[in-house]
Amino acid sequence: MKIFAGARRARTTQSMETTMPSHATSRIFVVGGTGAQGLPVIGALVADKKYSVRALSRDPGSRRAKDLLALGNVSILEGTFADEATLREGFRGCDGAFINIDGFNTGEKTEIYWAIRSYEIAIEEGIKFFVYGNLDYALKKSGYDSKFRAGHYDGKGRIGEWILFQNQANKDRMGAAVFTTGPYMEMAISAMTPMTPSVEDGVVSWRVPLGAGAVPHVAIEDCGYYARWLFDNPERANGMNLEVAIEPIDYQKLAAAFEKVTGHPARYIDTELDTYWNGPLKTEANLPAGYNAYPDDKSTMSFKDNFTGFRNIWKYGVIQRDYALLDEIHPNRIKSVEEWLRREDQ
C-alpha cells in the first residue's frame, strides 16, 4: 500500500479516560472518494482547509484521483476497502471517516460484510466521528413486501440501521451518523442508467414503469454541503439519519420542466414492466446486480429483479423525506427539478 501526496502519521495511543470525548475532527478518511459523491463531498470538506482528507483509490493515477488531489489538502491511499490492512492504514492517523461503499462493485452480501468491518475497525483505530453513506431500507419501509426488494438499497439500509443501533452503546467513544441519499438527478438525463431517456421523433421521452409515482432525486452538488454539515455539527449529528432529496419528482413534472428550461419537447410515457425489460435494458436483465457479485450465489439478485423492486419503491411511494428539516440544515439547497435543470443548462 502506498500513500500519495501525504505523509503517514504514527499511530497514537488511545485515551482510556471515562469522560465524554470531543467528536471534533480534522483529518477524514474517505472510502468512495472517486465515486459520484466523492468530488463534491471531499471538495466541501477541504474548501476552507478546516479538514484534510485521505481518500482511498484503487488507481491513484486515474482522472478522478487526480481531480481529488487538485482540490488541495487531499492525499490518496492506494488500495481497496475489501482489505483489513488497507482499512487500518486508512483510518490510522485520521479522526473522522466518511464511508460510502460501491454496492454495484461488490454486490449486496459483500457490501454488508465490509461495511460492518469498516465500522468496527474505525472504533478500534480511534476514529472520533463516523459517517456512513447510506440508502433507504426500502424493504423494511414497505412492511417487508418483497416486490419492493432492491439489493443495493437494502444492503446499505440494513447497515445504516445497524450502525445507529451500535451507536447507542458506542456514541461516547465514536460518534456516528448515517447519510441517506437516493437516485441522483443526473441519472434522469445521463446515458446508460435505468432512467435514461431516448429521443423519439425529436421528442425527449422517458419510458419508465413509474405510474403516478415520484422519485426523491438527489442533487449531487448538495451532497457536499450535507456531508460537511454532519462533520461540523457532530453533537447534533451523532445518531442522526440525515435523509436528503430535492423534492418528490414525478416524471410528468420532469418532462414539463425539461421542456420549459431547454425549449426541447419532452414527455413521460408510463410503461409496463415487461415492455421496459424488453427494451434497451434487455441484454443486462439477467446479469448480477453487482459487477463482482457471484451470479451462482442464490443471494445475488439479477439486474432485472433488483431494478424491478427499485421501480416499485418509487411507483408506490414507499420513501418520504422531511423537507422542512432539509430547509433548516441547508437553506440554499436545490429545491425543485426546474431549479436543478436551470443550473445544468447554465
Side-chain angles (χ1 to χ4, degrees):
M1 292 174 291
K2 299 176 182 178
I3 294 180
F4 293 79
R8 184 178 303 173
R9 291 166 58 177
R11 184 179 185 183
T12 58
T13 302
Q14 299 303 312
S15 170
M16 298 303 292
E17 296 177 355
T18 57
T19 57
M20 181 174 175
S22 167
H23 291 121
T25 57
S26 59
R27 192 177 193 191
I28 299 171
F29 176 48
V30 175
V31 171
T34 57
Q37 281 186 41
L39 196 62
V41 166
I42 293 176
L45 290 173
V46 303
D48 57 2
K49 310 306 178 188
K50 178 179 179 180
Y51 303 99
S52 62
V53 166
R54 175 187 291 158
L56 184 67
S57 175
R58 292 186 299 273
D59 181 8
S62 69
R63 177 184 58 80
R64 287 181 177 267
K66 291 177 179 178
D67 287 344
L68 293 177
L69 288 173
L71 294 171
N73 248 31
V74 177
S75 63
I76 302 293
L77 172 65
E78 182 178 14
T80 171
F81 64 81
D83 181 276
E84 286 207 10
T86 300
L87 287 175
R88 292 184 186 280
E89 184 72 10
F91 288 126
R92 195 162 296 164
C94 293
D95 45 24
F98 183 88
I99 308 300
N100 188 20
I101 293 174
D102 181 0
F104 284 120
N105 179 311
T106 65
E108 181 180 2
K109 181 188 287 187
T110 301
E111 178 175 13
I112 289 172
Y113 174 82
W114 284 108
I116 289 173
R117 284 303 288 144
S118 294
Y119 178 88
E120 294 167 341
I121 294 169
I123 289 186
E124 187 179 359
E125 293 294 339
I127 295 297
K128 294 179 181 178
F129 199 75
F130 182 100
V131 176
Y132 177 65
N134 190 46
L135 293 169
D136 292 88
Y137 191 178
L139 180 63
K140 180 181 178 180
K141 290 184 175 183
S142 75
Y144 301 101
D145 182 339
S146 288
K147 80 175 183 181
F148 299 104
R149 184 183 168 214
H152 73 293
Y153 262 62
D154 298 327
K156 282 189 179 294
R158 294 184 191 102
I159 295 302
E161 289 204 348
W162 181 86
I163 286 172
L164 294 180
F165 178 76
Q166 298 301 315
N167 189 59
Q168 294 175 25
N170 300 323
K171 62 183 178 182
D172 292 348
R173 183 178 179 186
M174 181 180 80
V178 171
F179 179 46
T180 302
T181 58
Y184 302 128
M185 194 66 247
E186 286 77 1
M187 292 174 65
I189 62 170
S190 300
M192 300 178 68
T193 81
M195 299 168 169
T196 301
S198 58
V199 179
E200 303 173 13
D201 298 323
V203 180
V204 177
S205 304
W206 282 273
R207 291 182 178 271
V208 289
L210 190 57
V215 183
H217 277 292
V218 174
I220 289 179
E221 65 181 275
D222 281 346
C223 289
Y225 183 99
Y226 290 124
R228 171 68 185 254
W229 184 90
L230 291 169
F231 285 102
D232 281 349
N233 299 275
E235 298 307 321
R236 183 178 177 189
N238 194 6
M240 175 182 280
N241 180 359
L242 180 58
E243 300 178 322
V244 306
I246 298 172
E247 65 171 339
I249 300 169
D250 69 68
Y251 274 38
Q252 293 282 15
K253 178 187 289 186
L254 170 60
F258 185 90
E259 189 165 320
K260 181 178 179 180
V261 171
T262 68
H264 297 294
R267 62 185 174 178
Y268 159 60
I269 304 168
D270 187 27
T271 306
E272 294 296 324
L273 277 168
D274 287 344
T275 302
Y276 177 77
W277 287 115
N278 280 293
L281 293 174
K282 183 176 181 178
T283 56
E284 285 80 24
N286 294 318
L287 295 177
Y291 305 127
N292 293 314
Y294 296 102
D296 295 332
D297 186 329
K298 294 296 184 180
S299 72
T300 299
M301 296 186 76
S302 69
F303 192 84
K304 178 180 178 179
D305 289 344
N306 185 85
F307 280 97
T308 294
F310 177 81
R311 288 295 183 191
N312 286 334
I313 291 167
W314 316 124
K315 185 173 183 177
Y316 295 99
V318 170
I319 290 170
Q320 306 297 321
R321 293 288 186 256
D322 184 346
Y323 293 100
L325 174 65
L326 298 182
D327 288 342
E328 177 200 339
I329 289 173
H330 187 5
N332 297 318
R333 70 182 185 87
I334 297 173
K335 298 178 181 178
S336 71
V337 63
E338 182 178 333
E339 180 184 353
W340 184 87
L341 285 165
R342 290 195 183 283
R343 292 190 185 212
E344 289 296 302
D345 196 44
Q346 290 170 8

